[in-house]
Amino acid sequence: MGERRTWADKKAEIMSRPGAGAAYEAARIRFELGEAVRLRREQLGLTQAELAERTGLKQPAVARFEAGGTMPTIPMLERLAEALEMRLTVQFQPLREAS
């Protein structure tokens, strides 16, 4: 058996690989978008099936999106925003200001 390493050591090793940072950032964006849609859907008292009907999607597609499993297009985000009674705003932020 090899030596045991901490999670921080393992994460540092993984993040040092080429392309890992970009993959991590894409996953973070998918997760945050999905979470925002789920929270708003729940605020409105909608089921995934009801949101799917409003957007022209199928319920499994909404579930995948909310779980961070898909990267949406701008038109998809516009459809979701309208169905969730919201306005879509896309902006660029300098990296030093982004959280």
Side-chain angles (χ1 to χ4, degrees), residues 9-98:
D9 290 340
K10 183 65 177 169
K11 181 180 176 188
E13 175 194 327
I14 292 168
M15 292 302 288
S16 71
R17 295 177 186 161
Y24 178 85
E25 184 64 12
R28 183 192 63 76
I29 291 168
R30 289 191 311 266
F31 174 80
E32 289 179 0
L33 287 169
E35 182 179 44
V37 166
R38 179 185 56 81
L39 290 172
R40 179 62 177 163
R41 176 181 59 77
E42 290 174 349
Q43 285 176 346
L44 293 174
L46 297 172
T47 65
Q48 287 180 344
E50 290 167 331
L51 180 57
E53 186 175 321
R54 287 183 177 198
T55 58
L57 298 171
K58 297 198 182 294
Q59 181 275 327
V62 171
R64 274 192 308 278
F65 181 83
E66 288 184 358
T70 59
M71 181 61 86
T73 62
I74 297 290
M76 169 69 75
L77 291 173
E78 290 172 332
R79 287 171 38 198
L80 285 163
E82 184 177 338
L84 294 168
E85 302 169 8
M86 299 187 84
R87 166 185 267 156
L88 176 65
T89 303
V90 178
Q91 64 185 44
F92 291 95
Q93 290 181 312
L95 289 176
R96 65 182 179 276
E97 294 176 17

